[in-house]
Amino acid sequence: MKTWVYIDHFKGEVQAASWEALGLGKTFGAVTAVVLGAGVDAAAQAAFEYGADEVIVVDDASLADYRAEPFASTLSALASSSTPDLILFPTTARTRELSAMCAVDLNSGVLTDVSALSVDGDKVTVTRPIYEGKVLEKAVCEARPQLITLRGRAFPKPARESGRAGALTKVEAKADAKSTVEGYSATEAAVNIGDAAVVVSGGRGVSNNPALGLDEKATAQKGFELIGELASLLGGAVGASRAAVDGGYITYAHQVGQTGKVVAPDLYIAAGISGAIQHLVGMRNAKLIVAINKDAEAPIFTQARYGVVGDLFAIVPALTAAMKKKLGK
Ligand SMILES: Cc1cc2nc3c(=O)[nH]c(=O)nc-3n(C[C@H](O)[C@H](O)[C@H](O)COP(=O)(O)OP(=O)(O)OC[C@H]3O[C@@H](n4cnc5c(N)ncnc54)[C@H](O)[C@@H]3O)c2cc1C
């Protein structure tokens, strides 16, 4: 099985899920990483260190900024001449677009959001959640190359082997870019709940503490402060329900769920979140779910391994204090 892995990065900073894809590729043989960009030597070296046997690099100023057209035409041209059987992508906003465009160029297909994959000889079988995660679909891929985007944190990240080397293939860029990027606004770039091992999320409940005597938004800010303290103590990220985002308590980049991000951390703590299906589809693959809610009947408790019935304004700081003690911080 000739397997390629597309290494997704922003200005050379690689999305950790690319290494998960590389680790998966390694489980069924030699794997080739493909790195497109400008000044991407460090990313290429990291690909070797995470297990790539070959790295194909197209390093050119015209690829300094991701745009779908030049990246898709470059990757498609490489795949047309080298004919891999599989091209694996980590799932990111960029790769959703890129994989779809390459599938069109290569007259092939893309299977998205794959959470399990097995290779038996020539037979490639994938599993992926459909219908908001209610059903797991198993599909056998006939197309070649088969393009596959992998669900973040569904596959283990391999250990990095410092100084590991392999075959480096440099290819000239022939991309004809019709657009240029003028700049980036960094407003929401810092939040990456998809990669976090711990996510502590707040819902509408963060705005419910009459004892503070504050208005709804100011109360919610206090609530998210408590959630942020717990998240940073645990080295995690802050998530939110849509009600919290719609209420203007926190920005959309934090939203977990059907219309937000899908997360699969080791630990997910839901505070003041009822557990609507649209929220659950975004977090129910977390390894350990802890719910804090005033209402013992809240549906979130059906998903939680541990549940605390109580006021998050009391429980969250108590948890932070207990964890501080336990971690010696
Ligand atoms: C098409 C569509 C897409 C959607 N996409 C998403 C999505 O991506 N993500 C998402 O989250 N939702 C999504 N929703 C919205 C979803 O249906 C719910 O409305 C939303 O998840 C509710 O958020 P919540 O649990 O924070 O609020 P609520 O349902 O209002 O729950 C608040 C909870 O907080 C508890 N509570 C209140 N005060 C406290 C306190 N002081 N301490 C502890 N607990 C307290 C209450 O008991 C309650 O259970 C979507 C809806 C639709 C129709």
Side-chain angles (χ1 to χ4, degrees):
M1 187 65 47
K2 193 167 169 184
T3 308
W4 280 15
V5 172
Y6 177 77
I7 305 298
D8 188 53
H9 65 92
F10 178 75
K11 300 274 181 197
E13 197 179 310
V14 177
Q15 295 287 327
S18 299
W19 310 136
E20 295 165 16
L22 210 45
L24 173 69
K26 278 298 268 188
T27 60
F28 36 83
V31 66
T32 297
V34 182
V35 186
L36 313 183
V40 288
D41 286 352
Q45 178 53 34
F48 284 128
E49 295 180 357
Y50 279 106
D53 300 286
E54 183 193 8
V55 179
I56 299 174
V57 174
V58 186
D59 195 324
D60 191 85
S62 66
L63 299 174
D65 293 293
Y66 171 80
R67 282 136 307 137
E69 300 85 353
F71 274 63
S73 65
T74 304
L75 186 57
S76 300
L78 290 172
S80 297
S81 59
S82 298
T83 60
D85 298 302
L86 290 182
I87 309 180
L88 306 178
F89 300 79
T91 300
T92 66
R94 286 182 290 267
T95 61
R96 279 197 188 97
E97 179 183 53
L98 178 63
S99 57
M101 285 184 71
C102 288
V104 173
D105 288 349
L106 296 165
N107 196 23
S108 184
V110 56
L111 281 160
T112 56
D113 205 22
V114 165
S115 57
L117 188 157
S118 68
V119 173
D120 183 9
D122 279 350
K123 193 173 164 196
V124 179
T125 311
V126 302
T127 306
R128 59 184 188 145
I130 57 171
Y131 299 119
E132 295 173 5
K134 291 193 194 82
V135 176
L136 284 179
E137 177 190 71
K138 220 170 206 186
V140 175
C141 318
E142 305 278 342
R144 295 291 182 272
Q146 177 65 58
L147 293 90
I148 294 174
T149 70
L150 302 171
R151 179 171 272 217
R153 294 184 57 81
F155 302 93
K157 183 176 160 191
R160 187 169 185 161
E161 194 185 320
S162 178
R164 189 176 175 278
L168 180 66
T169 307
K170 291 207 169 190
V171 179
E172 293 276 305
K174 291 202 191 85
D176 177 20
K178 297 205 165 41
S179 56
T180 50
V181 174
E182 298 233 314
Y184 296 93
S185 111
T187 46
E188 301 205 341
V191 183
N192 196 352
I193 52 174
D195 284 343
V198 176
V199 176
V200 187
S201 287
R204 202 194 310 269
V206 300
S207 65
N208 179 25
N209 185 355
L212 288 176
L214 299 169
D215 67 15
E216 177 195 334
K217 266 200 181 167
T219 307
Q221 260 157 25
K222 289 276 175 209
F224 268 115
E225 252 172 50
L226 299 176
I227 283 169
E229 279 167 25
L230 180 57
S232 77
L233 178 70
L234 300 175
V238 173
S241 72
R242 178 158 158 184
V245 173
D246 287 352
Y249 312 158
I250 192 161
T251 58
Y252 170 71
H254 297 266
Q255 186 179 315
V256 173
Q258 185 188 328
T259 43
K261 291 203 178 93
V262 174
V263 299
D266 297 332
L267 171 63
Y268 188 87
I269 302 178
I273 293 178
S274 59
I277 181 66
Q278 295 89 353
H279 188 80
L280 299 182
V281 296
M283 45 62 82
R284 67 177 162 204
N285 287 323
K287 291 198 181 77
L288 179 69
I289 298 171
V290 177
I292 302 162
N293 198 301
K294 273 178 124 167
D295 175 7
E297 302 298 319
I300 190 77
F301 287 125
T302 63
Q303 304 291 320
R305 173 103 61 91
Y306 300 104
V308 186
V309 179
D311 188 331
L312 70 91
F313 282 88
I315 306 297
V316 173
L319 204 52
T320 305
M323 288 307 297
K324 259 189 192 157
K325 211 166 157 192
K326 184 149 183 68
L327 298 171
K329 290 190 178 174

